[in-house]
């Protein structure tokens, strides 16, 4: 009975998040009979391994099943026990969003055998080779002349294999003489075939070496001067030359006559009032003026009211 294990799978949080949240197991029964399967799951706390899954079920021939298990642990392990060597098991971790975690993938060939593997026994000794049978008797007949080649017959049906044991091989007979046939007459020469199509033109050969320069002939008499040709088109303007050095400054000319006075400009806007100046010192007291003329007499007032009579006593 095969007993397999994933071994301990590290699932320590990274940045506060564990790589695998669940662990998926897929099992296929490639056998021709029903297989029994047992799945065990373990998690590790400190130095203690605790089993938290125990599932036993049957899987029909040719069937495939898939199981998902909780895996939010720092480390976990899955073990598989089956009664068939043709049961294929693979497993892989998935994160919280259902994505595969490559580091937690376990293929069938990557599962370890649970428990020690027995030592392979020694190979048994090879059995003795049976004796060779005697060679059968009989001489080889002389080789007959080669007959004309007949038409190839159809292949006959294969006969049934005869019963009985194979007889012993007879001894090899003497080699018969090899007959020599006469060489036939040479056949007439066949009709010449039609001329084949012209082959492709070959590559051009290398240019031959230049011949030596011939002797220069005598100079002929000067011909009459030809008529003057039309004036050619004006050529493009040449590039502007560099600026020459500055000449010496000439003497200052006489002052020109004064120009007429220009019109008076508009009055500018009134400026802002200036800051009030400090109060000046009091001036000296002026001289006393002359006494003025007497004023006119005032109007006479109204007579006063008469007083009350005084009591003279008795």
């Amino acid at each position: 009975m095969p007993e397999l294990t994933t071994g301990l799978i590290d699932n320590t949080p990274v940045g506060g998040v564990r790589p695998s949240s669940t662990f998926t197991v897929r099992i296929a029964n490639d056998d021709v009979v029903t297989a029994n399967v047992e799945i065990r799951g373990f998690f590790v706390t400190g130095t203690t391994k605790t089993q938290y899954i125990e599932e036993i079920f049957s899987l029909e021939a040719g069937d495939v099943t898939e199981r998902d298990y909780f895996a939010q642990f720092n480390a976990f392990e899955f073990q598989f026990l089956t009664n068939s060597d043709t049961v294929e098991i693979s497993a892989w971790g998935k994160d919280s969003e259902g994505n595969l975690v490559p580091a937690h993938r376990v293929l069938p060939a990557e599962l370890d055998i649970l428990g020690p593997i027995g030592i392979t026994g020694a190979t048994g000794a090879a059995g003795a080779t049976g004796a060779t049978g005697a060679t059968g008797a009989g001489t080889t007949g002389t080789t007959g002349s080669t007959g004309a080649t007949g038409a190839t017959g159809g292949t006959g049906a294969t006969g049934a294999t005869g019963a009985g044991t194979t007889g012993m091989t007879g001894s090899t007979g003497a080699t018969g003489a090899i007959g020599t046939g006469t060489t036939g007459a040479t056949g007439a020469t066949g009709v010449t075939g039609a001329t084949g199509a012209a082959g492709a033109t070959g590559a051009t050969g290398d240019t031959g070496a230049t011949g030596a320069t011939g002797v220069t002939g005598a100079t002929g008499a000067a011909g009459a001067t030809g008529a003057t040709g039309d004036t050619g088109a004006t050529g493009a303007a040449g590039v502007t030359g560099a600026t020459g050095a500055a000449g010496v400054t000439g003497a200052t000319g006489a002052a020109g006559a004064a120009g007429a006075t220009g019109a008076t400009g508009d009055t500018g806007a009134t400026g802002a009032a200036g800051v009030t100046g400090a109060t000046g010192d009091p001036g000296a007291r002026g001289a006393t003026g002359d006494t003025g003329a007497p004023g006119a007499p005032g109007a006479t007032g109204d007579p006063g009211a008469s007083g009350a009579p005084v009591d003279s006593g008795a």
Side-chain angles (χ1 to χ4, degrees):
M1 173 181 288
E3 298 183 7
L4 306 172
T5 177
T6 62
L8 285 176
I9 297 176
D10 183 67
N11 197 32
T12 305
V14 178
V17 179
R18 297 185 193 281
S20 289
S21 298
T22 59
F23 196 66
T24 300
V25 177
R26 179 175 293 172
I27 304 175
N29 182 9
D30 295 337
D31 208 337
V32 295
V33 295
T34 300
N36 297 324
V37 180
E38 180 179 355
I39 300 177
R40 301 172 184 168
F42 301 84
F43 67 87
V44 176
T45 305
T47 59
T48 304
K49 185 166 73 171
T50 305
Q51 182 173 352
Y52 75 106
I53 292 172
E54 174 76 23
E55 187 174 3
I56 302 174
F57 56 92
S58 297
L59 193 61
E60 297 294 330
D63 282 358
V64 178
T65 185
E66 187 172 294
R67 309 294 173 98
D68 293 315
Y69 300 104
F70 180 80
Q72 288 275 20
F73 307 109
N74 285 343
F76 58 87
E77 176 188 1
F78 278 76
Q79 297 176 0
F80 310 100
L81 287 75
T82 72
N83 63 344
S84 172
D85 290 328
T86 58
V87 172
E88 295 287 334
I89 302 172
S90 58
W92 57 89
K94 293 182 180 178
D95 61 19
S96 58
E97 297 180 354
N99 299 313
L100 300 183
V101 179
H104 292 173
R105 183 201 65 181
V106 183
L107 297 177
E110 296 171 331
L111 290 169
D112 295 325
I113 296 176
L114 191 65
I117 301 173
I119 300 173
T120 303
T123 303
T129 304
T132 304
T135 304
T139 59
T140 304
T142 58
T143 304
S145 58
T146 303
T149 304
T152 304
T155 303
T158 304
T161 303
T165 59
T166 304
M168 294 182 297
T169 305
S171 58
T172 305
T175 304
I178 299 173
T180 305
T182 58
T183 303
T186 303
T189 303
V191 180
T192 303
T195 304
T201 304
T204 305
D206 297 332
T207 304
T210 304
T213 304
V215 178
T216 303
T219 302
T225 302
T228 302
D230 297 332
T231 304
T234 304
V239 179
T240 304
T243 305
V248 179
T249 304
T252 304
T261 302
T264 303
D266 297 332
T267 303
T270 303
V275 180
T276 304
T279 305
D281 296 330
R285 185 173 181 174
T288 304
D290 298 332
T291 302
T300 301
D302 296 332
S306 296
V310 174
D311 187 6
S312 60

